[in-house]
Amino acid sequence: MSKETLLKILGVLVVLALVWLGLPEKKEKNGKKREAKSGRSVRLYAIERDACVERVIEAFKKESGIDVKRVQTAKEEVDVYWLKSPVLAYSLKKRGVLAQLPPSMCQPRLAGLADSDGDWCAVGLRWPVVVGKKESLPASVFDYADIANKDKGLLVLPTQPDYATYWAALFERLGGEKMTAWMRAVRRNGTAFVRNDNEAIALIERGAGRFVLLFSDRVFDLPKGLAWRDIDQKKGGVGAFLLPSVVAQSAQAPHSQEARAFLRFILSSKGQATVRACGLYPTQKVIDGPSALTPPHKLRRLEVNATRLYMSLPALMPRLKAW
């Protein structure tokens, strides 16, 4: 083997070693270093609006250079959980599969937006609002049973996770007897149930319904001609139910450093600005919320025992399904 050939082989091996180790390669002719990919990644299980998740992922990748791989089920190898409500987080916590987050990482603007043991932290808030024709918007969810609204109201299927959590909160606040009576009155008043938010909005646009209960993150992409309002804010009203979208780290995270980097990002000013752009009200003190929404601290709030609420959902689901 000639000396020239040996040098070429050694050169190729050096380049391969640099790539495998994630070290910078030699300078290009223009004097700039071409960096090899690090191969770092974080595995994310997300139950949140896909458009919002993808927007955060892109912002995180641009900021950190770390890739994000979404997994389809919580049974797979997971680093970070991002969940539309704390319901599943409480279940995961009960099974002991969540890692405690550093207290300095989670600094919510309101009480109740972080797990008492540090197992999860809220990243954004949504709450129920009514959407529809401006002249037809009720002031309370209980106006669904008002005879003046007969055959006008729409509701998304009550077993959808975020809606189910809201109904569970009302059961917790008012008791089963009163809520059951109201649910029957809503049915008698001709309220129609639809599969999802988009179907409800399309029906209202066509005049097949006057108003629907949605969540506040949907008010930013409503078709022209539709309005919205907060509900149950008058004196004596039950108040708005603040539903937090939460993040948590798996205790068995195979990429713990990358997981912490993702969590730090989504709770930082840049991450919270991205969450805000999705329509969620940012939970952390590092940034203000969207001006179109009422600041949560100014809302009359529906206060319930969070742990009892989330643990009561499984038993309540058959009743909601029968509604």
Side-chain angles (χ1 to χ4, degrees), residues 204-225:
I204 290 174
E205 279 193 288
R206 298 203 303 265
R210 301 296 292 178
F211 58 86
V212 62
L213 181 85
L214 298 179
F215 278 82
S216 56
D217 56 323
R218 290 306 310 268
V219 306
F220 297 95
D221 56 1
L222 292 177
K224 188 176 180 180

Side-chain angles (χ1 to χ4, degrees), residues 219-239:
V219 306
F220 297 95
D221 56 1
L222 292 177
K224 188 176 180 180
L226 296 189
W228 67 276
R229 71 179 295 179
D230 292 315
I231 55 173
D232 291 303
Q233 292 301 294
K234 293 182 178 179
K235 186 177 181 179
V238 294

Side-chain angles (χ1 to χ4, degrees), residues 51-83:
C52 189
V53 175
E54 293 304 322
R55 183 177 291 191
V56 170
I57 287 175
E58 286 306 310
F60 171 68
K61 288 167 67 175
K62 184 177 180 180
E63 175 78 8
S64 67
I66 299 172
D67 191 24
V68 178
K69 299 178 180 178
R70 292 187 67 177
V71 300
Q72 298 303 309
T73 71
K75 294 181 180 179
E76 296 181 56
E77 194 176 64
V78 176
D79 294 308
V80 174
Y81 299 94
W82 183 3
L83 312 168

Side-chain angles (χ1 to χ4, degrees), residues 5-255:
T5 302
L6 180 60
L7 288 174
K8 286 182 179 179
I9 294 173
L10 288 174
V12 171
L13 291 175
V14 168
V15 171
L16 288 175
L18 292 174
V19 172
W20 290 333
L21 293 172
L23 299 175
E25 297 180 21
K26 66 178 181 179
K27 289 185 178 181
E28 299 291 348
K29 290 182 180 179
N30 60 9
K32 293 182 179 179
K33 288 185 177 180
R34 181 161 57 90
E35 297 290 330
K37 291 184 178 179
S38 68
R40 299 176 67 196
S41 65
V42 58
R43 296 175 65 85
L44 173 67
Y45 176 67
I47 304 178
E48 184 51 90
R49 291 177 65 185
D50 281 339
C52 189
V53 175
E54 293 304 322
R55 183 177 291 191
V56 170
I57 287 175
E58 286 306 310
F60 171 68
K61 288 167 67 175
K62 184 177 180 180
E63 175 78 8
S64 67
I66 299 172
D67 191 24
V68 178
K69 299 178 180 178
R70 292 187 67 177
V71 300
Q72 298 303 309
T73 71
K75 294 181 180 179
E76 296 181 56
E77 194 176 64
V78 176
D79 294 308
V80 174
Y81 299 94
W82 183 3
L83 312 168
K84 283 187 81 173
S85 84
V87 175
L88 183 54
Y90 273 101
S91 175
L92 293 170
K93 175 181 177 177
K94 190 175 181 180
R95 288 164 47 197
V97 299
L98 298 183
Q100 288 189 343
L101 304 178
S104 60
M105 182 181 288
C106 184
Q107 297 292 325
R109 62 179 78 241
L110 294 173
L113 299 182
D115 178 59
S116 58
D117 297 319
D119 283 352
W120 56 259
C121 182
V123 296
L125 290 171
R126 51 168 64 88
W127 53 88
V129 299
V130 285
V131 169
K133 305 295 183 179
K134 188 173 183 179
E135 65 278 6
S136 304
L137 296 178
S140 169
V141 66
F142 299 105
D143 290 342
Y144 269 90
D146 192 324
I147 192 63
N149 293 320
K150 185 171 178 57
D151 301 322
K152 295 180 181 178
L154 303 176
L155 285 174
V156 175
L157 289 175
T159 51
Q160 296 279 5
D162 37 2
Y163 293 95
T165 309
Y166 175 53
W167 301 126
L170 289 178
F171 266 91
E172 176 69 20
R173 175 71 173 78
L174 300 175
E177 185 176 342
K178 185 176 289 188
M179 271 299 293
T180 300
W182 176 76
M183 289 162 66
R184 289 172 180 163
V186 168
R187 273 294 194 185
R188 289 195 301 268
N189 211 34
T191 297
F193 287 81
V194 297
R195 289 171 296 180
N196 53 53
D197 296 6
N198 292 332
E199 182 180 346
I201 291 170
L203 287 171
I204 290 174
E205 279 193 288
R206 298 203 303 265
R210 301 296 292 178
F211 58 86
V212 62
L213 181 85
L214 298 179
F215 278 82
S216 56
D217 56 323
R218 290 306 310 268
V219 306
F220 297 95
D221 56 1
L222 292 177
K224 188 176 180 180
L226 296 189
W228 67 276
R229 71 179 295 179
D230 292 315
I231 55 173
D232 291 303
Q233 292 301 294
K234 293 182 178 179
K235 186 177 181 179
V238 294
F241 176 61
L242 302 184
L243 184 61
S245 179
V246 307
V247 289
Q249 180 181 334
S250 169
Q252 291 84 34
H255 311 100

